[in-house]
């Protein structure tokens, strides 16, 4: 039996990249943004920060903030009719 190679960021070269106009320093406003429980957000990865990044298959999903866990937020999404909780850093979240 062969061994599986590659981690959670394998084959995400196109998914986790910025547009040309978004290159440069990261936004400190988005890094330290405060979200309230019940807020609707979209998962949009910031490739410069790997901390608190979700799995690549959830890129572009929208969800609801359920709570806070340390510096990150617990976001509930629906994946194929199943509710899943993701722990995501606020820099990877965009308000709707």
């Amino acid at each position: 039996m062969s061994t599986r190679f590659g981690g959670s960021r394998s084959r995400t070269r196109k998914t986790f990249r910025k547009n040309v106009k978004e290159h440069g320093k990261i936004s400190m406003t988005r890094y330290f943004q405060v979200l309230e429980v019940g807020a609707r957000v979209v998962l949009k990865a910031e490739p410069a920060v790997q901390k608190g990044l979700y799995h690549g298959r959830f890129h572009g999903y929208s969800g609801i903030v359920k709570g806070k866990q340390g510096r990150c937020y617990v976001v509930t999404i629906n994946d194929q009719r199943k509710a899943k909780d993701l722990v995501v850093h606020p820099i990877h979240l965009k308000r709707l």
Side-chain angles (χ1 to χ4, degrees):
M1 193 178 235
S2 62
T3 321
R4 184 182 181 277
F5 58 90
S8 62
R9 286 189 62 139
S10 64
R11 296 183 293 275
T12 59
R13 181 184 296 250
K14 192 170 181 181
T15 308
F16 288 153
R17 75 171 180 197
K18 291 184 180 184
N19 294 332
V20 177
K21 293 180 181 179
E22 295 174 354
H23 283 281
K25 292 185 179 178
I26 61 171
S27 172
M28 288 292 118
T29 310
R30 273 188 61 201
Y31 194 91
F32 294 112
Q33 70 179 329
V34 178
L35 300 167
E36 52 279 343
V37 175
R40 291 189 47 82
V41 291
V42 174
L43 299 176
K44 186 177 186 305
E46 171 62 48
V49 180
Q50 287 83 37
K51 191 177 287 189
L53 184 62
Y54 49 86
H55 195 275
R57 79 168 68 98
F58 303 124
H59 187 71
Y61 279 41
S62 62
I64 299 170
V65 176
K66 188 176 179 182
K68 193 159 183 178
Q69 186 170 328
R71 294 179 182 170
C72 299
Y73 288 95
V74 179
V75 179
T76 304
I77 61 165
N78 284 326
D79 183 36
Q80 300 290 327
R81 297 191 198 123
K82 292 180 183 175
K84 293 187 178 179
D85 291 340
L86 304 175
V87 180
V88 185
H89 194 278
I91 198 161
H92 306 300
L93 299 174
K94 186 177 178 184
R95 288 189 191 146
L96 273 176

